[in-house]
Amino acid sequence: MLLSCGDALVDFLPVKSVDGRDATVPVVGGSCLNIAVGMARLGAPAGFVGGISTDLFGRMIADHASASQVDLRYVTRSDCQTTLAFVRTIAGEPQYAFYDEATASRNWAYRQGSIPFDEIEAIHVGSTTLANDKGAAQALAMIEDAAGSTTISFDPNCRPNLVRHKAHYVDQMNAFAAAADIVRMSDVDFEFLYGGNDYAGKARSLIEAGAGLVVVTRGIKGAQAWHGSVGAVEVQAPAVDVVDSIGAGDSFQAALLFALRAIGRIKTHPLSQMNSDELCRVLSFASICAAFTCGRAGADPPRHSDVSGALSRLLSDGLG
């Protein structure tokens, strides 16, 4: 099973009312929940780890996840309210206003021994849950227990308006990156955390520290990756008529983990042994899934049937 641990929330997306006024519509989201949904829709056994409220919005979240066959056995349900995020798109990038005090996601706590890591192929962490000290500490405790038994995946998915002390936050994100086997971040996240665009230099340092794969996604400019034995690989982004980019990075991440599993490279040792052709096919598949999500409103990752042609190409050498 593949697990994703972190945020589950409700996004309020901008729409126009019938009389032309600005309005919003509630849509289930949260980067880590989106990733669990994305992996499950593609056909991998996938679960979510985190806090989900028992309130109205929490029931929406649970129903949405269950509808995509996301396993919720490791979820903590509570009467704390659901995190809400209001979204606006500015210069092509979604901007968020979060309401996240005393929420179910923020109050999630890891219980040692609650997850049988020897039965889990990979666990992903990231996003808003890591923007506060409690959430970061709980997630770190979990991946410390998981280390050596399962592959650790990390995407900071930074939300600057939730970061109160940047230097401290950067230190925390560096700690997660250092503990991860797979590190992915957007170019926007890289700029916020480190400034500039020395992706290769940062990737080299992470690989020297033990990471097996480092990926930087750059929107319409495509994706770049660095691997300990393969070196650097780059793929182009597919052409798409963009509706919005909400959830595109989450779809990429979900498809990346799904694809590595599909070709037998998700575990740490097989990951270290992959070749350049496999890496290119994995990145191309993830890029296609991200582009598909950009073609429709909100975080709505593709299903297996939506990308069947790309999946066939991913598995073209018969390793599936």
Side-chain angles (χ1 to χ4, degrees), residues 52-76:
I52 298 179
S53 177
T54 55
D55 66 11
L56 169 66
F57 294 123
R59 293 195 295 274
M60 285 176 57
I61 290 168
D63 289 347
H64 173 77
S66 296
S68 292
Q69 287 74 55
V70 174
D71 192 321
L72 299 180
R73 77 180 75 177
Y74 303 117
V75 163
T76 301

Side-chain angles (χ1 to χ4, degrees), residues 155-237:
D155 167 21
N157 193 39
C158 306
R159 295 291 178 251
N161 57 338
L162 291 179
V163 175
R164 296 180 179 176
H165 304 288
K166 184 175 177 180
H168 178 61
Y169 175 76
V170 172
D171 287 343
Q172 286 183 321
M173 296 306 98
N174 283 335
F176 280 99
D181 302 294
I182 300 168
V183 179
R184 187 200 73 84
M185 67 183 73
S186 71
D187 53 354
V188 175
D189 290 341
F190 190 98
E191 170 65 28
F192 177 70
L193 290 172
Y194 308 118
N197 59 1
D198 184 17
Y199 310 138
K202 184 63 177 179
R204 283 194 298 270
S205 67
L206 289 171
I207 289 171
E208 288 170 1
L213 178 63
V214 179
V215 182
V216 175
T217 51
R218 302 175 298 149
I220 62 173
K221 297 178 182 178
Q224 293 178 282
W226 293 263
H227 182 273
S229 59
V230 171
V233 168
E234 182 172 355
V235 299
Q236 299 301 309

Side-chain angles (χ1 to χ4, degrees), residues 17-177:
S17 64
V18 293
D19 60 1
R21 291 185 296 172
D22 290 336
T24 61
V25 59
V27 176
V28 173
S31 176
C32 294
L33 183 75
N34 293 340
I35 290 166
V37 168
M39 294 187 297
R41 286 186 178 182
L42 289 171
F48 177 71
V49 182
I52 298 179
S53 177
T54 55
D55 66 11
L56 169 66
F57 294 123
R59 293 195 295 274
M60 285 176 57
I61 290 168
D63 289 347
H64 173 77
S66 296
S68 292
Q69 287 74 55
V70 174
D71 192 321
L72 299 180
R73 77 180 75 177
Y74 303 117
V75 163
T76 301
R77 302 298 297 270
S78 75
D79 59 4
C80 298
Q81 66 188 5
T82 298
T83 301
L84 305 179
F86 290 81
V87 186
R88 291 185 66 192
T89 299
I90 300 173
E93 288 287 334
Q95 304 291 318
Y96 298 85
F98 289 96
Y99 293 81
D100 190 34
E101 293 296 329
T103 60
S105 279
R106 178 168 285 203
N107 285 319
W108 170 78
Y110 169 64
R111 292 179 291 110
Q112 190 171 33
S114 61
I115 301 173
F117 290 114
D118 57 344
E119 300 174 12
I120 305 301
E121 294 164 284
I123 187 163
H124 174 80
V125 295
S127 198
T128 62
T129 306
L130 308 185
N132 66 85
D133 286 343
K134 178 181 177 182
Q138 295 298 315
L140 270 175
M142 182 188 67
I143 64 174
E144 285 172 358
D145 277 359
S149 299
T150 188
T151 299
I152 309 299
S153 164
F154 169 61
D155 167 21
N157 193 39
C158 306
R159 295 291 178 251
N161 57 338
L162 291 179
V163 175
R164 296 180 179 176
H165 304 288
K166 184 175 177 180
H168 178 61
Y169 175 76
V170 172
D171 287 343
Q172 286 183 321
M173 296 306 98
N174 283 335
F176 280 99

